[in-house]
Amino acid sequence: MSAIVHDYVENYIRGLIKRDDQALLELEEYALANHVPIIQKEASQLLETLVRMARPARILELGTAIGYSSILMSTCAGRQTKITTVERSPEMVGIARDNIKKYGYADRIDVLEGDCLEILESLEGKYDFIFMDAGKSHYNDFFPHCSRLLNENGVIVSDNVLFRGMIASDELVEKRMTTIVKKMRKYLEMLSANEEFHTSVVPVGDGIAISTRRNRNE
Ligand SMILES: C[S@@+](CC[C@H](N)C(=O)[O-])C[C@H]1O[C@@H](n2cnc3c(N)ncnc32)[C@H](O)[C@@H]1O
């Protein structure tokens, strides 16, 4: 459990989520059996809601792992939506590409192998929806690129921003996580003070920040 909301609340919300997509169910099982971190169930439900609301034509994801969240976003965004997802682990890239092909998403999801920062620097064109779920210590470095690559009405969703509750309470901080905690706090402070974006931090899953660009004439 996440130490972010009470277990009974989390369990109750999880119990409400009925998923019948075979690909997603199989990938959830694989992730659990192989200790691959994928987005938490109730956070994935929120991600799906946000994608449905945004109706993006182009999605950029940072952190592919086995391809679970890419496939999840693709199922609800629809056939026309193109997803680019970035992963630095060659092993994960191989597994994700196999899964994407096996479940019939190869025409909609493109996996780029490499470090997010390097790939972000090389990307051009605009995205309507950006899901940040890689390298928690580097969100501050990724954000300027995400801002540059985001369409006027786009959304940036950052996962793990409350990181097992540690970001909100010094009492929960494990010593070896101090750097991540400091950097994530800086990220949330930067987002909250950013005059160009409006950000809401939601205590769902491991904590999700939803950022949208403010209107020019606000
Ligand atoms: C939490 S997992 C992604 C889970 C996936 N979004 C999902 O919910 O199905 C994070 C992934 O990001 C990758 N990663 C971490 N830092 C990265 C970086 N700087 N550049 C590219 N990939 C990175 C890791 O190898 C890992 O597979």
Side-chain angles (χ1 to χ4, degrees):
M1 289 292 137
S2 64
I4 289 170
V5 294
H6 288 296
D7 286 359
Y8 71 90
V9 176
E10 205 161 273
N11 284 330
Y12 176 71
I13 295 174
R14 282 188 185 184
L16 292 174
I17 301 169
K18 310 284 180 235
R19 215 156 254 160
D20 53 12
D21 185 286
Q22 201 50 35
L24 294 174
L25 293 173
E26 286 178 21
L27 290 174
E28 281 169 21
E29 259 180 45
Y30 179 93
L32 191 65
N34 294 279
H35 311 288
V36 179
I38 58 167
I39 186 168
Q40 293 185 14
K41 203 166 182 182
E42 60 286 8
S44 72
Q45 191 78 351
L46 176 60
L47 180 66
E48 184 175 334
T49 301
L50 294 169
V51 169
R52 288 181 186 282
M53 288 165 71
R55 298 173 181 270
R58 293 184 80 214
I59 296 178
L60 173 64
E61 175 182 68
L62 306 181
T64 317
I66 58 173
Y68 176 79
S69 50
S70 303
I71 291 176
L72 173 94
M73 290 191 283
S74 193
T75 58
C76 57
R79 286 210 158 269
Q80 303 305 319
T81 301
K82 299 288 177 212
I83 300 181
T84 301
T85 178
V86 184
E87 173 59 55
R88 73 173 171 194
S89 152
E91 187 195 352
M92 286 297 147
V93 168
I95 296 172
R97 284 187 179 143
D98 286 349
N99 284 332
I100 286 162
K101 197 170 166 201
K102 174 178 165 190
Y103 294 115
Y105 291 87
D107 58 332
R108 319 185 220 171
I109 303 174
D110 189 21
V111 184
L112 302 183
E113 181 176 340
D115 185 85
C116 287
L117 194 54
E118 283 171 24
I119 299 236
L120 279 167
E121 281 165 0
S122 69
L123 286 178
E124 283 172 8
K126 297 284 185 188
Y127 294 86
D128 309 293
F129 194 98
I130 300 180
F131 178 46
M132 218 189 282
D133 192 20
K136 288 181 272 298
S137 316
H138 301 287
Y139 283 11
N140 269 305
D141 307 317
F142 300 158
F143 189 82
H145 292 286
C146 293
S147 173
R148 169 180 64 82
L149 292 166
L150 190 73
N151 255 330
E152 193 68 18
N153 296 317
V155 186
I156 297 176
V157 175
S158 318
D159 196 14
N160 308 107
V161 295
L162 296 175
F163 192 41
R164 303 181 205 157
M166 288 185 224
I167 308 306
S169 168
D170 283 339
E171 284 173 24
L172 294 174
V173 177
E174 294 164 28
K175 209 166 175 201
R176 64 196 173 91
M177 300 298 181
T178 312
T179 304
I180 290 183
V181 170
K182 276 189 189 154
K183 291 194 169 176
M184 191 60 90
R185 284 179 181 165
K186 269 198 171 167
Y187 178 63
L188 290 182
E189 281 157 23
M190 178 280 292
L191 275 185
S192 307
N194 192 316
E195 290 183 354
E196 210 185 324
F197 283 85
H198 175 269
T199 294
S200 183
V201 177
V202 188
V204 165
D206 202 26
I208 290 215
I210 305 164
S211 308
T212 51
R213 228 186 271 284
R214 292 179 188 275
N215 293 332
R216 280 176 201 277
N217 50 4
E218 245 177 62

